[in-house]
Amino acid sequence: MTAAAARSADKPIRVGVLGAEGRMGSEVCRAVDAAEDTALVAAVSENDPLSTLSDAGVEVVVDFTHPDSVMDNIRFCVDQGIHCVVGTSGFTAERLATVRSWLEPRPELGVLVAPNFAIGAVLSMRFAELAARYYESVEIIELHHPRKADAPSGTAARTAELVAEARAAAKLGPVPDATTHETDGARGADLDGVRVHSVRLSGLIAHQEVLFGTEGETLTIRHDSLDRKSFMPGVLLAVRSVPNRPGLTVGLESFLEL
Ligand SMILES: NC(=O)C1=CN([C@@H]2O[C@H](COP(=O)(O)OP(=O)(O)OC[C@H]3O[C@@H](n4cnc5c(N)ncnc54)[C@H](OP(=O)(O)O)[C@@H]3O)[C@@H](O)[C@H]2O)C=CC1
Ligand SMILES: O=C(O)C1=N[C@H](C(=O)O)C[C@H](O)C1
């Protein structure tokens, strides 16, 4: 029987962190160590074997690594019967479908893939989804530290997807834009018809603005993570919740009943 299957409610949850030396992973190690109901039993860095997780009897793994390695990590955990909380970015619909297929023969296991664990970021995505049908124009600006590997951010990609779905449901046409002469990149990336602009700037952590406009008014929804501690309450909530949420969940909002 795997450690995850044998879990007893009155013992701390045995947590393993992948990417333990990274900016997020090191913060997660501190948060898991500090919480009374979780125990850090494996802190795994890039050169450590994944078997460190099963050897340590990990019940829930938290992954903050790299888009290039996250799929192999999830595959290993699912095969070993370990629940997963995944913060690493780079998830496409195809990747999510692959994770879902891995989970089919393991109906007792939970995997959460969350583009953003900060409560304000989760709320701002929901607010953007609500506002989308009332405005003819929308653009997203995401701003991050310059050591980020991926652009646009996972949060911006998810926000654009939610906004695009809401616009389609409201039968809104394309966002008005008369641009015919463009220097490459000047209008940002086109994600489902929503323009996304990525800023990389020293001094920043993680920030996003969703700009809406219609005749005579604009609405700006902005969120700022000023410290990576902002992600920790969401990560801990996910660690506590995922063993009771079998299957694949996308987005922390399901665990917040939003
Ligand atoms: N969902 C959310 O709320 C958030 C998500 N993120 C996402 O999390 C990811 C990590 O971000 P961040 O912490 O800033 O990045 P870092 O580069 O600081 O950390 C990633 C760490 O993972 C290590 N690593 C890479 N591959 C593996 C592997 N196969 N096994 C174990 N460790 C590995 C890296 O090692 P090395 O440096 O030696 O390569 C590095 O130490 C990104 O995708 C980012 O977008 C970030 C913040 C919040
Ligand atoms: O790399 C980061 O830092 C972050 N990555 C996530 C993303 O790509 O959306 C979440 C947050 O924006 C911080």
Side-chain angles (χ1 to χ4, degrees), residues 17-26 44-48 50 63-70 72-73 86-90 113-118 121 144-145 147-150 153-155 205-206 225 228 230-232 235:
V17 176
L18 284 169
E21 289 179 29
R23 287 176 289 272
M24 281 297 290
S26 53
V44 179
S45 302
E46 185 160 13
N47 296 324
D48 298 327
L50 289 172
D63 187 302
F64 282 100
T65 57
H66 193 280
D68 290 346
S69 49
V70 64
D72 288 346
N73 296 341
V86 181
T88 304
S89 48
V113 175
N116 204 309
F117 284 95
H144 281 82
H145 59 93
R147 296 175 75 185
K148 184 166 176 55
D150 54 314
S153 69
T155 307
I205 302 266
S225 271
R228 290 188 176 82
S230 62
F231 302 110
M232 294 308 118
V235 171

